[in-house]
Each structure stands twice: as structure tokens, then as C-alpha cells.
Amino acid sequence: MFVWSKLTASRSADTWEERFNGNPDGTLVISSFPGRKMIRLEFYCESQAPAKKVQKQYGGEVRHLKPQNWAAHSSQTPPPVKVRDKFVICAAKTDVEVKQARAKFPNREIIAVPADMAFGTGHHATTATVLRLLVDAAQERQAAGKKWSMADLGCGSGILAIAADKLGASRVWGCDYDPAAVKISQENAARNNTPKVRFTKVDVLKWEPKQTWDIVAANIFFDILESAFPQMVRSVAPGGVLMLSGILKSQAKDCLAAGKRAGFVVQKVVTKGKWVTALGTVKNR
Ligand SMILES: C[S@@+](CC[C@H](N)C(=O)[O-])C[C@H]1O[C@@H](n2cnc3c(N)ncnc32)[C@H](O)[C@@H]1O
């Protein structure tokens, strides 16, 4: 494992997220420090070449990490993220840390997602927005006394699927094409006491959905969403909704047009920073 790192101004965090969004060579971790205007960027790669490539482009330094120690070298613990009045997402790793988080936030459900290799600690605008939409959709279904199921396409850390289980979904499935993300999601499901959630290695682009779900969330990247609309639309149960994120503002028009051609009917668009999240139903369902 190799890590490229660099300290930079915190106001540029969005730009860095954007630069590394979809980079298949590794995972970007951004750490902020209370009271400081700097952030630390760390890009974790399996091999040295991609880390060196990033260094050549942006400066900074490259270190070799022993595989078993890479997490220990990683950034400081990110601050907890609150979602509506329901969740606190924190980086607790051990049972003791999870218990401590529960004691600190007694009125909220804790979702513990250590800053591991997979994307999805709740800090990114896209994850946070989908989590909020998920809380709202679950409340609506609960108020109507409806049972509901959820699929998390591009599960990363498994955070959305775990949240859905905690919100009362009766059936939850997540997938990612990255086997490391599937493994980390399974570990996070165990850590968060949501053992019924299933995670599978699936490439959404080659996916043939065999079931449908009431809520299908896909926080992937624009190009994947654009190509996967037909199968995503087919995976939504009658009366269900599709939540899409990972779309940059500049891509939103094209992305939603592709969705419309496939039968996606936009109901709500949320913009946070440079990121757009869309919620909608599916035609003829
Ligand atoms: C932006 S992260 C989202 C993670 C998490 N769902 C969240 O909301 O924080 C996108 C995830 O989609 C996965 N992904 C990208 N392309 C994919 C594909 N074609 N099929 C399945 N997963 C994919 C990536 O590996 C990554 O874990």
C-alpha cells in the first residue's frame, strides 16, 4: 500500500474531491483539523506508480505503508456527522468506541463507519444528502404503515444500506463492483448490528436485476448512472423511488435527460456545493 499526501487550504476541499472522483487507482481521504484552515489529502493506492503520478501532478509526498498498518497511518478521526434528528455517523471502530458514541449521543442511532478504504463516511455532500432523503422517505413510509425495501448501488462502505436497515427497511441489499468495498460493507454491517443486510459484488453496468425494491439509491458517478438508467429503472418496485447522487452540477442536465429517456421522473433535486442529488419515481409503475 502506498499513500500520497499533501496539506492544502480547506476551502479547496470540493475541488480535490472532484479531481479524484472516479479515480480507479485509489481512495482519497480528506481530513480537517478543528480550528485550522488546512486539510490533509491522502490518496491510498495499491501500487507505487499511481501515487507517484499524483505526486508529479500535484506535488506532496509519497510513503510506503505496510499493509497491516495502513489504517493507523491514516488521517485523524473525522468529526461525527448528524443526519436530521435520527443518526450520528462516526468513525468508531471497536465495540468500546461504538458504546462511547452511543453514550455521547443517547437520542440518536449511531452508524459507525471507520475511515477505511471504501468511500462513504457520511462526510461527503453526496452521501449526506442521500442519507437525509432516505430518512425522509422512511418516515413517510412508516407514517403510511408501509413495509419497504431498499437497494444500495455502489455501496462503498455500506453506509446507505446500513442506514436503511436501521430505518426499518424489511429487505436491504447493496452491491459494489469493488470486492474491497463489498468486504468493508459486510464488516460495517456486523459492526452496526445490521446482519440481515446483504452485500454482493456486482457491476451495475452488467447488472440484470432479478428483484425490485421500494427505494433504490445509487450514489455512483455520472457516467455510470447515465449508462445504468435502464436497469436502475427496472429495479424500482411499483410506487417506489430512485435516489441518484454523485452528479456534478455541470453534469446534471445531461444526467437527468438520460434518466428521463429511461423513464425516470424527477420529483426533487438537491444541490449541495458542487453536487446534485435527484429523487424521483419511475414512469408506468
Ligand atoms: C461515491 S461512492 C458511494 C459510496 C456510498 N454508497 C455512499 O453513498 O457514500 C461510489 C461507489 O460506487 C462504486 N462503483 C463505481 N462504479 C460501479 C459499478 N459500475 N458497479 C458497481 N459499483 C460501482 C465504487 O466502487 C464506490 O464504492
Side-chain angles (χ1 to χ4, degrees):
M1 178 73 62
F2 289 81
V3 61
W4 166 81
S5 63
K6 181 183 170 80
L7 281 171
T8 188
S10 54
R11 64 175 183 281
S12 60
D14 271 1
T15 311
W16 286 101
E17 272 173 8
E18 223 173 276
R19 279 182 187 146
F20 283 81
N21 187 11
N23 188 324
D25 294 331
T27 300
L28 181 71
V29 176
I30 301 182
S31 313
S32 54
F33 308 96
R36 290 185 60 192
K37 290 187 177 165
M38 300 300 283
I39 48 172
R40 185 195 291 136
L41 308 167
E42 290 167 309
F43 188 58
Y44 289 86
C45 311
E46 289 292 339
S47 59
Q48 191 176 24
K52 284 277 184 197
K53 191 172 149 198
V54 172
Q55 185 185 31
K56 198 168 168 204
Q57 204 171 356
Y58 303 121
E61 56 179 62
V62 171
R63 304 195 309 278
H64 181 222
L65 297 181
K66 288 192 182 133
Q68 69 271 27
N69 281 344
W70 79 267
H73 286 259
S74 133
S75 50
Q76 290 190 352
T77 309
V81 176
K82 291 180 182 164
V83 181
R84 300 276 191 243
D85 58 357
K86 180 74 189 164
F87 290 123
V88 168
I89 319 294
C90 68
K93 198 158 191 160
T94 62
D95 285 352
V96 172
E97 287 168 352
V98 174
K99 274 191 193 136
Q100 283 168 348
R102 281 205 190 105
K104 197 167 168 195
F105 301 101
N107 300 323
R108 289 170 180 267
E109 283 269 9
I110 302 295
I111 300 183
V113 182
D116 255 314
M117 290 291 291
F119 186 107
T121 56
H123 292 82
H124 197 272
T126 57
T127 315
T129 305
V130 178
L131 281 170
R132 278 196 291 277
L133 292 178
L134 203 51
V135 171
D136 297 346
Q139 271 167 2
E140 277 167 27
R141 281 166 172 75
Q142 201 179 345
K146 281 187 194 160
K147 226 172 132 183
W148 58 282
S149 55
M150 187 267 190
D152 175 5
L153 310 180
C155 58
S157 65
I159 186 168
L160 302 178
I162 291 166
D165 182 281
K166 287 187 180 288
L167 289 165
S170 55
R171 172 169 58 93
V172 184
W173 173 72
C175 73
D176 205 292
Y177 71 168
D178 177 353
V182 173
K183 185 166 174 281
I184 286 168
S185 294
Q186 286 162 343
E187 287 167 6
N188 282 332
R191 175 176 288 112
N192 284 284
N193 201 20
T194 54
K196 283 191 314 202
V197 182
R198 292 281 163 264
F199 293 101
T200 320
K201 180 181 172 298
V202 167
D203 182 340
V204 172
L205 294 175
K206 299 176 190 155
W207 182 45
E208 277 300 328
K210 302 270 187 301
Q211 299 180 48
T212 57
W213 292 266
D214 300 300
I215 298 178
V216 176
N219 178 12
I220 317 188
F221 311 113
F222 161 67
D223 51 337
I224 312 284
L225 295 174
E226 199 180 28
S227 308
F229 266 118
Q231 52 268 45
M232 289 195 297
V233 160
R234 282 204 305 280
S235 73
V236 178
V241 291
L242 193 51
M243 296 176 182
L244 304 175
S245 199
I247 310 161
L248 284 166
K249 260 196 234 172
S250 56
Q251 304 164 334
K253 201 169 151 221
D254 288 348
C255 186
L256 298 182
K260 190 174 175 190
R261 287 194 293 276
F264 177 55
V265 183
V266 181
Q267 286 183 320
K268 186 174 183 176
V269 172
V270 180
T271 303
K272 198 166 182 241
K274 298 181 181 204
W275 297 97
V276 170
T277 302
L279 166 81
T281 54
V282 166
K283 231 176 183 171
N284 304 325
R285 297 252 174 179

